[in-house]
Amino acid sequence: IRRPPRSTPKPSSAASDVYKRQMIDRKQMSGLVFVAASLCIMFISCLPASSIPSSSVSFASMDLIVHSLMYGVLSHVFYRFLKDLFYPRQIGLASLILVVLVPFVYGVVIEALQSFVPGRHPSIWDALFNLIGSCLSLILIVLWAKVRTRQV
């Protein structure tokens, strides 16, 4: 006499609901962090030139380094948002391209807005270094993913 195979027990409805709520909270938090980072960059970028402190380092070089760092961080935060949004699926090549394009386009828009801020002007160099920061962030994300898969 053959017995029917045992079915695997399904997780309790309460446990499943808790997991779903945690994922929704994580997606919302990732989106909130992305919006907050975007607004911080906009606020800093739209400050009048008179309110920006001077430093001992050449301002031109420091400005380009800051642009790369800010947009690198923004790209990473956007990547985390996309990763949480599409979880448990892996994000694909199109999403990785968006990780660079969305912050870059955002930076170009902010550069255009700077023409309306006293003492500020749009700069192609700033936009280029925004793109460089986003690309470096993507390279680090891809390299980190390769390192993590080798360790498993």
Side-chain angles (χ1 to χ4, degrees):
I1 299 176
R2 291 186 90 181
R3 291 184 181 189
R6 283 186 163 170
S7 62
T8 57
K10 293 183 180 181
S12 70
S13 179
S16 178
D17 289 344
V18 168
Y19 176 74
K20 287 177 185 176
R21 269 195 311 270
Q22 287 174 343
M23 282 313 300
I24 290 171
D25 291 344
R26 184 174 176 153
K27 289 175 185 180
Q28 290 173 341
M29 184 56 70
S30 294
L32 184 63
V33 169
F34 175 66
V35 169
S38 301
L39 290 175
C40 285
I41 289 175
M42 180 179 283
F43 176 76
I44 292 168
S45 298
C46 291
L47 286 173
S50 60
S51 63
I52 298 173
S54 61
S55 67
S56 59
V57 180
S58 164
F59 182 75
S61 62
M62 181 56 103
D63 181 47
L64 298 177
I65 291 169
V66 168
H67 273 268
S68 294
L69 287 174
M70 285 193 314
Y71 283 86
V73 168
L74 184 63
S75 291
H76 180 74
V77 168
F78 187 56
Y79 166 77
R80 293 298 310 174
F81 170 64
L82 289 177
K83 191 171 180 178
D84 289 342
L85 186 66
F86 294 120
Y87 183 82
R89 296 185 318 240
Q90 296 291 322
I91 62 174
L93 180 62
S95 296
L96 291 177
I97 291 170
L98 283 177
V99 165
V100 172
L101 274 182
V102 168
F104 174 68
V105 170
Y106 181 70
V108 169
V109 168
I110 288 178
E111 287 299 318
L113 289 175
Q114 283 184 348
S115 61
F116 302 107
V117 178
R120 302 293 294 265
H121 61 280
S123 166
I124 295 293
W125 288 107
D126 287 350
L128 177 65
F129 275 83
N130 295 348
L131 180 62
I132 289 171
S134 292
C135 289
L136 288 175
S137 180
L138 180 62
I139 289 168
L140 290 174
I141 288 167
V142 170
L143 289 176
W144 179 250
K146 286 185 184 275
V147 167
R148 283 187 57 212
T149 55
R150 286 186 186 160
Q151 291 176 352
V152 175

